[in-house]
Amino acid sequence: MFLDDLMRELHVQLQHAGHTCLKILFKMFKQLEKTPRTVLACERSHLDHEKARLGTHVEQHFFNHKVSLLVPGCDRLPAELDSALNSMRSFLLVKNLPLSQLLDKEFLEKAVYKGSTYGLSYQTRIDEDNCFALLPNGKLVLSVDKDTYETLGLEGKPSQYQRRPAGRYVVSVDLKDRTMSPGGKGHQRVLKALTEHNPLSCDLLLSQHLPGDESPALQSLLSNHKLSEHRPRVSTHVMTSLPCPTLVTSDLQGEQQSCDPQSFLEWLGAVDAGVTFEEESGGYLSTYECPQPQTVLDSAVRCSVTGLLLPEDIYHLLDVLRRSVLEPKLAPWLALTVHGFQDSPVSWGTAEHGFLSGGENFYTLVLFQNLDYWICMATGSHDACPP
Amino acid sequence: KERTDIKLKMPPAVYERVVVKNSPVYQYMKVSLVLEKAQTKLTAVEFKHLITTGLKSLYGEVGAAFPFDLLTFEEDTLTAVLRIYSRGLVRLWSSLTLLGFFQQQRCAFRVLQVSRTSSYTL
C-alpha cells in the first residue's frame, strides 16, 4: 500500500515536471519567434494637394545611397528621364580628413554657410565605429563610442539605442550657430576638442549643392588632402513578360482590389534583385509569387543609381518623373525607391539612426498618371518613426 | 463665382496617412557561403539542402518545420537571397551561424544584409 502511494506521488511529480519542461520549451520557442520592431509609414495624396509633404520627405532624407526606378510599359527609358538619372552630380571621397578641417574658417564660409554641404564618414559602422555626418543645415553630428566621448570633452547625449549601459554618445554641433563663428567661444572649444583632446579623422564622402550655377568649391578647399572624385554608378535592365500587381490609387491599405503596400514593396524588391518568377525546380527552391491581382507587362525598365546622391538631385528627378508619367504610352504608374545609407547617424532630418539587424531606411514613391502618389517610408528597429 | 473656380481647380485626391508597425510577414536575407576549398561548386538545390540540414541539426524536425525560399542564387559567388517568415528569422539566422561543414569541408555563412524587402543596397 505504501509503495502504491509512493508510485502515485512520483507519477504526479513527474507529470508536473514534464509539464514545466514543456512550458519552458514553449516559452523558448516563443522568444525565438520575436523579431525586431519595424515601422512602415504610408501616405497617399496628390502632388498639388495642400497637405502633400512629398517635398519635405525627400529633402529631409539627407544621405541617399541608391535610387532605383521602375518604369513599366517601355523597353527604353524616356530620354529626359535617362539624362536626369545620368546627370546626378559627382561626389568626393577625402581620405583621412581631420575633422578639425571642417571648422576651418574658409571651409565654413565657402561650404557650410553657403549652399548645402553633405558629408558622411565612409566605411564606418554605426554600431561599432565612430561615425560622422555633416548635414546640409550646418549641423555636425558625431556618433562616437564611450571612450572617445569621454576624451573629447564635448557635451552630447547618450544614444537612444545603446542606453543601458551607455556605450555610444551623440554630439551635435550647430556650425551655423553664432558662437560657432571662427574665433567664437564655442568654435574654440570644439576646435580644441578635435585637435588637442582627440584628433579624430575619417574618410569622408562629400558633396555640395549651391544655388544657381555656382560651381562647388570643395575640391579647391581640400586640395591638400588625398581626394578622389566619383561619379554615381548607373545600371539599366530591360525586363520582358513581367508579372505585375495591380494598384488602385485610392486603396492604400489593400482592402479592396489593390495590392497592399508591404506586398508591393516586396515585389519591387524582388524585381530589383532580379528574381525570376517562374519556378524551375517544382517549388522546392522558392514558392514566391507575384501578389494577386496581377497583370503581365510586356516590358519594363529598371534603372538604379548608386553613390552619395543629394536630395536636390532626387527632387529634380521627381520633376522629370512628373512630366514623364503623363506620357500616355507608359503604364499607369512609376515607382521610385530611395535607399538611405545603412550606417548613417541620421535617417530623416536629425532623427537618430541605428543598425541592430538591418539599418534599413528607405522610401518608395509610386506616382500615378493622375498625379496622385503613394509614398511608403520604412525604417528598422533602431530608428524613429518616419516623419 | 471665384469660389467655385477654386473648388474646380482643387485636386480630387485626399491626404491619407497610415502607419503600420511590425507589418512584414517575411524578412529577406542576403547571405554568402565561404568554403575552405574556394573552387567547390554548388547548385541552388544543394545550397538550399545545406541550409535545411543546418536547421534540422539545430532545431530538430519540428523546430525546423517552417518553409523558406531561395529567391536568387549566384553560383560564382555563392551568394543567395533568402525569404523567411519573420517568426523564423532568428532560427534560420542561428542555424546559419552554427553551420560549419559542407561535405566534410569547413564552411561559414556570412549574413550580408537583412531587410523587409529584397531590394539591396550592397
Side-chain angles (χ1 to χ4, degrees):
Chain A
M1 191 66 191
F2 174 70
L3 201 66
D4 251 17
D5 276 353
L6 198 69
M7 284 302 280
R8 202 171 298 130
E9 179 65 16
L10 197 66
H11 189 72
V12 170
Q13 285 288 334
L14 270 175
Q15 246 184 353
H16 186 67
H19 200 69
T20 323
C21 255
L22 272 178
K23 256 188 180 171
I24 292 171
L25 266 176
F26 188 70
K27 214 173 168 185
M28 257 172 65
F29 270 114
K30 274 279 159 228
Q31 285 284 331
L32 285 178
E33 285 180 1
K34 275 189 184 169
T35 40
R37 180 191 74 113
T38 55
V39 181
L40 179 70
C42 304
E43 281 181 20
R44 167 172 83 91
S45 191
H46 187 276
L47 280 185
D48 298 328
H49 195 275
E50 54 183 1
K51 275 191 176 176
R53 295 191 298 161
L54 184 63
T56 328
H57 295 322
V58 175
E59 270 167 31
Q60 292 290 307
H61 198 257
F62 296 136
F63 299 106
N64 309 298
H65 179 220
K66 182 179 172 187
V67 168
S68 25
L69 176 70
L70 180 73
V71 187
C74 69
D75 49 13
R76 205 163 41 143
L77 278 182
E80 201 184 3
L81 211 52
D82 191 52
S83 79
L85 286 163
N86 279 292
S87 63
M88 294 222 168
R89 78 194 74 198
S90 52
F91 52 94
L92 297 178
L93 172 61
V94 193
K95 289 272 179 191
N96 213 5
L97 179 78
L99 281 192
S100 53
Q101 183 72 41
L102 303 180
L103 298 170
D104 186 63
K105 190 180 171 199
E106 210 184 344
F107 188 88
L108 284 176
E109 280 171 359
K110 290 191 175 162
V112 178
Y113 301 154
K114 209 175 181 187
S116 40
T117 301
Y118 298 77
L120 184 68
S121 55
Y122 179 57
Q123 286 192 330
T124 50
R125 289 161 295 185
I126 191 71
D127 49 350
E128 288 189 353
D129 307 330
N130 294 330
C131 295
F132 315 108
L134 177 64
L135 312 187
N137 55 14
K139 285 216 165 72
L140 177 66
V141 180
L142 319 171
S143 176
V144 292
D145 56 40
K146 184 167 159 273
D147 293 350
T148 314
Y149 178 70
E150 282 168 0
T151 51
L152 268 180
L154 290 173
E155 197 183 335
K157 280 181 184 163
S159 160
Q160 270 187 302
Y161 309 113
Q162 291 185 30
R163 211 173 241 176
R164 264 179 245 136
R168 172 165 291 274
Y169 286 84
V170 181
V171 179
S172 178
V173 182
D174 188 0
L175 297 179
K176 283 186 177 170
D177 193 72
R178 210 148 39 100
T179 58
M180 281 305 295
S181 56
K185 234 178 185 178
H187 183 264
Q188 280 177 347
R189 198 160 53 85
V190 179
L191 197 62
K192 196 176 174 189
L194 292 175
T195 47
E196 290 173 27
H197 297 173
N198 195 342
L200 292 171
S201 63
C202 66
D203 295 348
L204 198 72
L205 293 167
L206 271 174
S207 190
Q208 189 181 23
H209 168 81
L210 287 172
D213 293 334
E214 239 177 297
S215 58
L218 288 175
Q219 211 146 357
S220 56
L221 276 174
L222 303 166
S223 54
N224 48 357
H225 295 274
K226 200 179 165 193
L227 54 85
S228 49
E229 193 176 349
H230 299 267
R231 283 215 54 79
R233 216 174 41 235
V234 185
S235 67
T236 312
H237 296 269
V238 180
M239 293 158 295
T240 48
S241 338
L242 181 74
C244 162
T246 315
L247 296 181
V248 178
T249 325
S250 56
D251 188 17
L252 184 60
Q253 301 191 46
E255 283 165 348
Q256 295 151 26
Q257 289 179 331
S258 178
C259 167
D260 68 289
Q262 176 58 36
S263 310
F264 182 67
L265 290 185
E266 288 186 40
W267 176 80
L268 270 184
V271 172
D272 201 49
V275 173
T276 49
F277 289 88
E278 293 145 13
E279 176 56 53
E280 288 151 7
S281 57
Y284 174 69
L285 288 180
S286 168
T287 54
Y288 180 66
E289 282 178 345
C290 173
Q292 297 287 350
Q294 54 165 273
T295 48
V296 177
L297 295 170
D298 291 338
S299 60
V301 180
R302 77 179 147 93
C303 180
S304 59
V305 188
T306 45
L308 176 68
L309 310 168
L310 301 198
E312 282 85 357
D313 283 344
I314 296 171
Y315 205 78
H316 170 65
L317 183 64
L318 280 186
D319 272 348
V320 179
L321 280 181
R322 185 187 170 132
R323 287 196 291 273
S324 307
V325 82
L326 297 172
E327 273 183 42
K329 277 185 230 159
L330 297 178
W333 51 263
L334 301 169
L336 176 81
T337 306
V338 181
H339 289 271
F341 279 82
Q342 291 180 359
D343 288 298
S344 155
V346 293
S347 53
W348 267 275
T350 49
E352 196 192 334
H353 172 71
F355 195 88
L356 196 62
S357 63
E360 60 184 345
N361 62 109
F362 69 89
Y363 59 88
T364 294
L365 169 81
V366 189
L367 192 59
F368 296 91
Q369 249 173 357
N370 59 355
L371 296 185
D372 278 0
Y373 71 85
W374 286 5
I375 183 167
C376 305
M377 297 169 281
T379 52
S381 34
H382 279 184
D383 225 317
C385 183
Chain B
K1 196 187 174 186
E2 269 179 31
R3 268 187 191 168
T4 49
D5 280 347
I6 292 168
K7 268 184 188 171
L8 283 174
K9 276 177 197 168
M10 277 288 279
V14 289
Y15 173 83
E16 183 188 355
R17 180 180 162 100
V18 185
V19 178
V20 203
K21 282 179 188 165
N22 302 329
S23 64
V25 180
Y26 295 100
Q27 291 278 338
Y28 293 78
M29 291 177 101
K30 189 174 187 174
V31 297
S32 78
L33 177 67
V34 186
L35 287 163
E36 205 175 13
K37 292 175 199 152
Q39 65 272 25
T40 317
K41 292 277 174 221
L42 252 87
T43 61
V45 176
E46 281 173 321
F47 191 85
K48 187 164 180 187
H49 181 71
L50 175 66
I51 299 173
T52 318
T53 324
L55 264 170
K56 277 185 188 157
S57 70
L58 187 63
Y59 291 104
E61 286 286 345
V62 177
F66 55 85
F68 69 93
D69 299 314
L70 186 84
L71 293 183
T72 65
F73 180 66
E74 285 173 34
E75 289 188 12
D76 307 331
T77 52
L78 298 181
T79 310
V81 173
L82 308 176
R83 182 177 79 141
I84 180 81
Y85 279 107
S86 291
R87 57 171 201 275
L89 178 71
V90 175
R91 271 185 269 175
L92 180 67
W93 198 331
S94 51
S95 66
L96 287 179
T97 307
L98 296 174
L99 222 160
F101 281 95
F102 169 68
Q103 294 176 350
Q104 280 87 48
Q105 65 166 308
R106 286 180 182 282
C107 72
F109 272 99
R110 307 263 179 256
V111 176
L112 303 174
Q113 203 173 342
V114 179
S115 170
R116 63 160 69 220
T117 77
S118 50
S119 171
Y120 289 104
T121 52
L122 289 172

